[in-house]
Amino acid sequence: MLSRTAEGLFWIARNLERAETYARLLQVGYRMSMTPSPAGGYESEWSSVLAATGNADEFSRHYDEVNERNVENFLSFDARNPSSIKNCIASARNNARANRVAVTTEVWEALNHAYLEFRELEKDRNALKKIPDLVDWVKRQSATIRGSFLNTQLLIDSSDFFNLGYYLERADNTARLLDVKYFVLLPTIHMVGGSVDSYQWMTLLRAVSAVRAFHWTYGGDHSPERIAHFLILNPACPRSLFHCCDRMEYHFSRLAKLYGTSNPAHYLLAERLERFYEADIRDIIKQGLHEFLSKFIADMGKLNNQIAESYLFER
Amino acid sequence: MLLSIDHQTSYRYEHPQRRIVQSFRMTPAECESQQVMGWSVEVEGACFGASFTDGGGDLVQTMTLSGPASTIDVKITGTVRTFDTAGVLKGHQELNDPGLYLRETSLTRVDDAIRELAAETACEGALDTAHAFTNLVAERIVYSPGSTAHGHTAIDTLQAGQGVCQDQSHLLIALARSAGIPARYVTGYLLTDAEGKYHEASHAWTELFVDGLGWVGLDPTNRCCPDERYVRLGSGLDAQEAAPIRGVSFGHGTEIMDVAVTVMQMAQQ
Amino acid sequence: MKKEPFSEMYVNGKVRKAYAVLSEWYNTCDPDELTQKQKEAETLFRRIGITFAVYGQGQDAERLIPFDMMPRVFLESEWRLLERGVKQRARALNTFLWDVYNRREILRAGIIPKHLVLQNEAYEPAVVGIEPARNVYSHIVGVDIVRTGLKDFYVLEDNCRTPSGVSYMLENREIMMRMWPDLFKQTRIQPVEDYARLLRHTLESVAPAKCEGEPTLAVLTPGAFNSAYYEHSFLADQMSVELVEGQDLFVDGDFVYMRTTRGPRRVDVIYRRIDDAFLDPLCFKPESMLGVPGLMNVYRSGGVQICSAPGAGVADDKAIYTYVPEMIRFYLGEEPILKNVDTWRCSESDDLAYVLEHLPELVVKEVHGSGGYGMLVGPASTKKQIADYAERIKQNPGNYIAQPTLALSTSPTFVEQQLAPRHVDLRPYCLVGDKIELCPGGLTRVALTEGSLVVNSSQGGGVKDTWVLAD
């Protein structure tokens, strides 16, 4: 298939997943703003949210104050933020339009519908005063589009590129969510294990819609170690780093079989996955969760570039 | 005369470029005024292909280079035996109809001032007119290196009253076409004399089509017809179309180009 | 002068043979059912058409070309005449193109004035001397034809570059077959669905000599923002070839490649739907980033075929149009089968004087205009409009040509729950490769406003299915 088409599909998935993550981040901020800040906390919950997006610099170029209103606007409706929900949806839709023959009518209609409806939402922002409504809307659209894709798209290389984008973005986002929690929210080590801390860990789980799944897996033990294990190493968690990498491996292997050859992007991922098999959550925490996550996020960046190079995305 | 030519063009890029594609019109064709004894065009690391002879009889080659590349050096070396044909282009193989060279291009557009000047200056015969136009351009346009910018048109040149060989040629072309004489832009090399005055080793001049004679070379910069000091490289409707190198690079940042040309007379053998 | 236009359906009050079945069928139809079906057809068309619409921008996004469900019908015998005429023209135009880019015999013979060709903007110096595969320059020729009598067909203009609209021919038929399956069972209508296969075959047959094995084809589009993007993707899809943009292609050495996820893949034949000027920044507009740097050099050195050839437009130029009958005689030694419309060139003073004197009865067009914009239809214009237009002509006579107002034939059209005569034209698509093929059908455009002679979709025109009956 044309590299431009593969790239288009890859980015449709990345943008959709990113939009969903932003919605979930807004939800985290919104819930945390309703609970007391940890004693000695030096940042507001909205700063944490902003930090998680990796776009705090861009924010400070356009806004004076970090508060709910500004962050909400920046993450959802602001055209100046390249990753705002608005831009993610528009970019996914335009990519689909430019590669119209590569997506089914169902996928196209779902995407186009989301795009048009978002424009309506934007016109009438008062109807969306509450963040939860926006969050629900985004999650619903994302589920519809992904569902249409899974149900109607042929299982050929185009679906592999779509899924690579999807899992790469998701792995990156989970890592960022976790990093914010562990690094930004916790001012001192004493806070670990306190009641506020525990509440915030639950908020994080809630943000990834995994509270029940977590309880089902680990019972009532909310220890940070368990939660970190759940989101990093548990293959059953659909957002865990391990699961996302495992799925990428699956799609890389399918491509390798189809094309009769592997490439550096595949090797890079395989090597990353290998390290998960040997990993122990206690070692990770002992050696520093933040360091681990930063390294992982950097690896995902490298993987993205290597995919672009290996499949000739670059002009 | 036996002339040796050494022409180096180097491009330096602010950031490495992913791909570079260039079209070269840099190989002289044989004709009565020149016999090519040896010629080579080299670019390290590049792939040459897609070559053909265009309608004007010039060899065109395509150079592609896969990056990342921060520099390219185009090296041309050659030896040409030249003969004086009193400026007349003889024995040059080409397919284009001279009538084609009456077309206007954006660089050679004609306005009322040029049209009037052409009408005033035109003589009885095409050859006399050609010489009259050449003298007119030489008188009206002071040769002043560095005085003009890229994209300067014939109209701009007449207004400015100064320019380089490219500008003088464009104005001569515009005047000729306005008088119904086919005219074209010619690139090439020139043996620099001791004084070096007005001369540039990498040069451009003009050819006008005179019925009965064919294409006649005229150099408004030096107010003469090309003789054995000249090597003709290629031609086109204007400087852009005749350009020895046209290129595109894929990547960010600016590019800096450097050109060094030497033309030397070799001992006759 | 006032004469009833030729009716495609009735002669002296009797139904013509071509329309016999349709007429009989129509009489047995319940008008309510017809109205119902018309609505269904619209919905169906809208559903496919919605894809036309989403690619449009801004205001045009929802504008679809109205579809009329009463087909325009030809008998096979009538079609054979048209077919011979169109093929003859396509042959002559391609020979002309080969000639003006090589030996220029027609100019030497003084049949066409030199300057009309050599100084024509559409004449491309970069193509001089090239001999493309099978010496074909224009691989898809769309000829716009109007009918004024039983055997009188006139060519309004030729389209040698990249004629559009063929997707309508195919989609219109698709919808008609879904709407009226019984009608198709009763009538023997020649199918048009072969078009994509024929197009593919035509493109394959002109692969360059350097191509080994089965040629790789691609459709080159300016991108999703182009108004005809739907047609580009439709044709690529129907031919099962890649739809590429300039950025997907690159030149390396002697060939052009497309970037695919399996690595570079050589492209042998490009069916381009972008204008000459945007093909290659190294040859044409240096600032254009739509094209492929080096593409023209590869083309000139025989590494790729571009369909239609750059510079093919000189054959369909309005100034050259008047010489097509002469071309047919000169190159083919035949008499033209299809007639040219008399044309006055305002650039010539005698013609200009005539035109200015007879404006109320003429149609005046801009030389480089298209889409029915900027034209004057004398008989349908007010005195003031005519006077204003006369001023425009005087300002720049070279920009205008004039033709007599032709009484375009009418075809029954379903308007406000009943049939009414409306003026139509026809654009068949002729494919030129190893063979010359004409798909039995075409795009019939209809002026939906009563009495209007302007069929362009931008000016209130619609489209119809075009039937060629099998004997």
Side-chain angles (χ1 to χ4, degrees):
Chain A
M1 69 190 299
L2 280 182
S3 300
R4 176 171 51 83
T5 306
E7 184 183 16
L9 290 163
F10 180 80
W11 278 102
I12 289 171
R14 283 204 74 162
N15 280 311
L16 284 175
E17 182 63 15
R18 186 170 298 176
E20 190 178 329
T21 301
Y22 274 32
R24 290 176 184 282
L25 274 168
L26 279 172
Q27 193 180 23
V28 175
Y30 182 70
R31 287 203 67 114
M32 288 197 300
S33 71
M34 292 191 293
T35 60
S37 286
Y42 64 100
E43 293 272 26
S44 82
E45 52 284 341
W46 290 111
S47 301
S48 325
V49 166
L50 211 47
T53 65
N55 255 339
D57 289 349
E58 184 70 27
F59 179 89
S60 59
R61 260 197 285 283
H62 307 296
Y63 297 88
D64 295 334
E65 196 189 333
V66 179
N67 56 32
E68 175 175 337
R69 205 188 138 80
N70 284 349
V71 174
E72 185 208 327
N73 191 54
F74 182 67
L75 294 191
S76 46
F77 298 109
D78 197 335
R80 297 169 301 187
N81 174 5
S83 303
S84 65
I85 294 172
K86 174 195 172 85
N87 279 340
C88 282
I89 291 176
S91 151
R93 184 257 188 186
N94 288 340
N95 255 323
R97 197 174 86 143
N99 294 285
R100 182 60 189 83
V101 281
V103 296
T104 59
T105 307
E106 280 84 350
V107 173
W108 164 250
E109 280 175 0
L111 260 166
N112 198 36
H113 177 78
Y115 170 78
L116 296 173
E117 205 167 280
F118 191 84
R119 290 212 303 200
E120 289 304 311
L121 290 182
E122 221 185 337
K123 275 188 210 152
D124 185 18
R125 274 194 222 179
N126 287 335
L128 263 181
K129 253 185 246 148
K130 293 203 178 84
I131 290 175
D133 293 344
L134 175 68
V135 172
D136 283 348
W137 183 86
V138 174
K139 286 201 279 196
R140 211 163 50 237
Q141 298 304 328
S142 165
T144 308
I145 297 163
R146 173 132 182 94
S148 313
F149 195 95
L150 294 177
N151 286 335
T152 63
Q153 203 76 27
L154 277 182
L155 296 174
I156 50 174
D157 44 0
S158 56
S159 89
D160 295 315
F161 285 104
F162 182 87
N163 279 305
L164 281 174
Y166 181 75
Y167 286 111
L168 190 135
E169 182 69 24
R170 178 173 278 198
D172 180 80
N173 291 338
T174 300
R176 285 175 191 279
L177 276 167
L178 251 175
D179 196 29
V180 164
K181 168 65 191 91
Y182 208 81
F183 184 64
V184 184
L185 289 187
L186 282 185
T188 67
I189 197 68
H190 311 298
M191 297 303 300
V192 180
S195 65
V196 169
D197 178 44
S198 161
Y199 178 81
Q200 288 178 339
W201 278 108
M202 290 307 291
T203 303
L204 185 63
L205 283 181
R206 195 168 276 121
V208 297
S209 302
V211 177
R212 197 179 300 164
F214 178 78
H215 285 161
W216 206 80
T217 320
Y218 298 88
D221 182 357
H222 293 171
S223 75
E225 193 180 294
R226 285 273 163 97
I227 293 180
H229 179 265
F230 184 61
L231 291 179
I232 296 174
L233 293 179
N234 192 329
C237 169
R239 293 190 178 268
S240 74
L241 307 188
F242 179 83
H243 172 74
C244 292
C245 289
D246 187 53
R247 295 313 293 168
M248 281 194 265
E249 161 63 27
Y250 170 76
H251 291 290
F252 273 125
S253 299
R254 272 176 46 99
L255 286 173
K257 205 166 147 196
L258 187 64
Y259 295 169
T261 170
S262 272
N263 60 37
H266 189 184
Y267 301 142
L268 197 66
L269 188 270
E271 189 212 338
R272 178 67 256 188
L273 188 63
E274 196 65 31
R275 279 187 269 146
F276 275 125
Y277 282 117
E278 296 153 4
D280 182 308
I281 195 67
R282 272 161 302 193
D283 292 344
I284 290 175
I285 290 179
K286 206 167 23 177
Q287 284 155 25
L289 185 58
H290 173 65
E291 285 68 25
F292 172 84
L293 292 170
S294 302
K295 173 82 171 54
F296 181 83
I297 290 168
D299 284 350
M300 289 301 105
K302 266 185 223 156
L303 182 61
N304 178 74
N305 295 343
Q306 193 57 64
I307 289 173
E309 199 168 304
S310 296
Y311 296 104
L312 306 182
F313 289 179
E314 283 198 320
R315 327 269 182 268
Chain B
M1 223 177 238
L2 194 60
L3 299 178
S4 87
I5 289 139
D6 185 300
H7 178 180
Q8 310 224 8
T9 310
S10 68
Y11 295 84
R12 274 167 234 305
Y13 300 96
E14 188 185 3
H15 302 295
Q17 304 291 297
R18 285 192 303 280
R19 282 178 57 70
I20 296 158
V21 184
Q22 293 185 333
S23 179
F24 290 163
R25 187 178 270 105
M26 296 220 284
T27 307
E30 299 247 345
C31 56
E32 283 186 20
S33 61
Q34 59 190 30
Q35 191 184 353
V36 181
M37 314 300 288
W39 197 264
S40 84
V41 180
E42 283 172 39
V43 180
E44 204 180 295
C47 171
F48 279 88
S51 65
F52 63 94
T53 303
D54 72 7
D58 301 325
L59 181 73
V60 178
Q61 292 168 293
T62 316
M63 185 279 289
T64 46
L65 192 107
S66 295
S70 304
T71 59
I72 337 178
D73 292 297
V74 183
K75 285 186 186 175
I76 295 162
T77 47
T79 313
V80 179
R81 191 182 293 281
T82 57
F83 306 91
D84 190 348
T85 57
V88 181
L89 185 66
K90 288 180 187 160
H92 178 72
Q93 296 294 317
E94 66 179 305
L95 287 162
N96 281 344
D97 188 298
L100 184 72
Y101 295 95
L102 287 167
R103 291 164 79 103
E104 203 173 75
T105 66
S106 58
L107 291 172
T108 57
R109 219 154 50 76
V110 170
D111 66 354
D112 286 342
I114 294 177
R115 204 171 291 119
E116 277 165 30
L117 202 56
E120 280 167 17
T121 317
C123 310
E124 195 68 14
L127 190 60
D128 290 343
T129 304
H131 285 293
F133 284 166
T134 307
N135 290 331
L136 177 76
V137 171
E139 278 157 23
R140 287 288 184 96
I141 309 303
V142 179
Y143 181 83
S144 46
S147 64
T148 64
H150 179 76
H152 216 73
T153 67
I155 295 171
D156 298 335
T157 300
L158 183 61
Q159 279 165 4
Q162 57 176 6
V164 294
C165 56
Q166 173 173 325
D167 306 308
Q168 292 172 321
S169 296
H170 280 154
L171 180 56
L172 177 51
I173 291 169
L175 288 165
R177 288 183 191 158
S178 142
I181 302 172
R184 65 187 176 192
Y185 189 93
V186 181
T187 64
Y189 302 106
L190 173 59
L191 177 67
T192 317
D193 65 12
E195 294 102 68
K197 198 172 81 170
Y198 290 173
H199 295 163
E200 282 182 295
S202 175
H203 194 46
W205 60 94
T206 313
E207 279 172 1
L208 269 56
F209 191 84
V210 177
D211 280 332
L213 270 182
W215 286 105
V216 178
L218 291 152
D219 180 357
T221 309
N222 296 304
R223 218 192 266 227
C224 68
C225 289
D227 52 29
E228 55 185 353
R229 295 169 301 153
Y230 288 69
V231 174
R232 185 185 187 276
L233 201 50
S235 70
L237 283 165
D238 59 23
Q240 182 178 298
E241 300 234 358
I245 302 181
R246 287 181 77 169
V248 164
S249 62
F250 293 85
H252 303 286
T254 52
E255 110 185 356
I256 300 168
M257 189 183 77
D258 262 318
V259 185
V261 185
T262 39
V263 178
M264 288 198 304
Q265 187 178 358
M266 297 168 82
Q268 297 282 350
Q269 287 151 23
Chain C
M1 166 87 203
K2 187 74 186 162
K3 189 182 139 229
E4 274 301 299
F6 177 75
S7 163
E8 301 266 346
M9 187 153 165
Y10 302 102
V11 174
N12 303 327
K14 285 195 190 131
V15 174
R16 287 180 55 233
K17 195 176 149 203
Y19 283 78
V21 177
L22 197 65
S23 164
E24 206 173 290
W25 166 80
Y26 178 77
N27 290 333
T28 62
C29 282
D30 171 7
D32 286 342
E33 192 205 341
L34 273 174
T35 309
Q36 178 60 29
K37 283 278 190 184
Q38 174 78 26
K39 279 202 186 109
E40 269 177 53
E42 269 167 25
T43 316
L44 211 53
F45 199 73
R46 197 162 256 284
R47 244 181 58 196
I48 300 174
I50 223 86
T51 49
F52 284 89
V54 281
Y55 297 112
Q57 285 297 296
Q59 304 271 299
D60 286 327
E62 293 307 318
R63 249 204 23 220
L64 303 177
I65 297 186
F67 172 66
D68 178 62
M69 65 175 179
M70 292 304 290
R72 193 256 186 99
V73 192
F74 287 103
L75 288 174
E76 190 171 318
S77 56
E78 293 174 301
W79 186 257
R80 272 199 293 262
L81 174 76
L82 274 179
E83 185 179 10
R84 283 198 301 125
V86 170
K87 287 182 173 176
Q88 179 191 53
R89 227 169 149 99
R91 263 193 301 150
L93 291 167
N94 268 296
T95 314
F96 168 75
L97 284 166
W98 179 85
D99 187 28
V100 293
Y101 287 117
N102 289 279
R103 301 186 49 82
R104 297 183 292 272
E105 300 285 5
I106 201 160
L107 307 186
R108 279 181 234 265
I111 290 173
I112 301 180
K114 255 187 175 184
H115 74 273
L116 277 186
V117 172
L118 298 176
Q119 285 167 66
N120 195 309
E121 268 181 50
Y123 183 77
E124 189 42 72
V127 181
V128 171
I130 191 161
E131 297 184 68
R134 299 179 193 281
N135 284 339
V136 178
Y137 286 72
S138 177
H139 306 81
I140 300 106
V141 184
V143 182
D144 291 348
I145 297 171
V146 296
R147 185 178 200 177
T148 58
L150 195 58
K151 289 193 170 148
D152 300 315
F153 293 95
Y154 286 91
V155 173
L156 278 187
E157 63 180 54
D158 306 289
N159 297 274
C160 295
R161 303 165 211 217
T162 51
S164 64
V166 78
S167 58
Y168 288 97
M169 170 180 94
L170 300 169
E171 298 275 37
N172 290 352
R173 176 62 56 84
E174 203 56 39
I175 284 194
M176 284 303 288
M177 288 175 78
R178 282 209 234 169
M179 296 306 304
W180 311 108
D182 292 344
L183 191 50
F184 279 79
K185 279 177 202 154
Q186 292 167 30
T187 324
R188 295 181 58 218
I189 302 157
Q190 300 194 28
V192 292
E193 65 206 44
D194 223 17
Y195 181 80
R197 193 187 60 77
L198 289 176
L199 176 59
R200 190 184 165 121
H201 174 85
T202 300
L203 297 173
E204 281 172 342
S205 77
V206 293
K210 284 186 190 170
C211 165
E212 304 125 5
E214 206 177 304
T216 300
L217 317 179
V219 177
L220 175 60
T221 172
F225 293 98
N226 186 273
S227 60
Y229 181 71
Y230 173 75
E231 179 157 307
H232 308 161
S233 65
F234 177 85
L235 288 174
D237 207 31
Q238 296 276 309
M239 290 193 288
S240 307
V241 307
E242 292 290 1
L243 177 67
V244 299
E245 296 177 16
Q247 53 170 323
D248 297 321
L249 302 177
F250 66 92
V251 166
D252 195 47
D254 288 320
F255 298 103
V256 182
Y257 298 85
M258 56 183 170
R259 292 182 300 115
T260 81
T261 52
R262 290 170 195 254
R265 182 167 168 207
R266 199 165 114 188
V267 181
D268 304 297
V269 182
I270 296 173
Y271 175 31
R272 51 87 176 226
R273 295 291 299 254
I274 71 179
D275 291 344
D276 289 3
F278 300 100
L279 280 173
D280 179 355
L282 295 194
C283 186
F284 305 112
K285 287 190 177 186
E287 66 282 1
S288 162
M289 286 317 290
L290 274 185
V292 187
L295 176 64
M296 281 301 288
N297 287 5
V298 174
Y299 174 62
R300 292 245 18 189
S301 60
V304 70
Q305 184 65 243
I306 301 175
C307 303
S308 294
V314 71
D316 66 26
D317 187 86
K318 287 196 177 78
I320 299 297
Y321 161 85
T322 46
Y323 295 96
V324 176
E326 285 304 315
M327 259 181 222
I328 293 171
R329 292 183 191 105
F330 182 74
Y331 294 122
L332 310 178
E334 297 170 7
E335 272 307 301
I337 297 164
L338 300 175
K339 287 176 238 179
N340 251 29
V341 184
D342 290 336
T343 302
W344 291 276
R345 282 191 295 269
C346 299
S347 55
E348 285 166 34
S349 55
D350 288 357
D351 283 17
L352 176 65
Y354 178 89
V355 169
L356 290 173
E357 210 163 294
H358 294 83
L359 276 180
E361 55 201 72
L362 298 175
V363 174
V364 191
K365 298 174 184 172
E366 292 181 348
V367 175
H368 302 296
S370 66
Y373 287 108
M375 65 190 258
L376 176 86
V377 181
S381 304
T382 63
K383 276 189 174 158
K384 168 132 185 21
Q385 283 169 328
I386 291 173
D388 289 350
Y389 206 92
E391 280 311 307
R392 284 170 58 189
I393 298 174
K394 284 183 211 157
Q395 294 282 321
N396 184 9
N399 195 33
Y400 297 90
I401 56 158
Q403 296 172 333
T405 313
L406 293 183
L408 270 58
S409 63
T410 64
S411 176
T413 300
F414 199 63
V415 188
E416 287 166 9
Q417 300 214 28
Q418 56 178 355
L419 293 188
R422 290 291 181 267
H423 295 291
V424 292
D425 79 349
L426 173 74
R427 175 184 286 184
Y429 298 87
C430 187
L431 297 171
V432 189
D434 57 346
K435 290 177 277 192
I436 302 189
E437 304 262 14
L438 189 71
C439 209
L443 176 65
T444 293
R445 297 186 297 179
V446 51
L448 292 172
T449 313
E450 192 175 357
S452 168
L453 291 167
V454 185
V455 295
N456 302 77
S457 61
S458 50
Q459 314 269 304
V463 293
K464 282 169 172 288
D465 191 12
T466 309
W467 290 2
V468 177
L469 302 183
D471 273 351

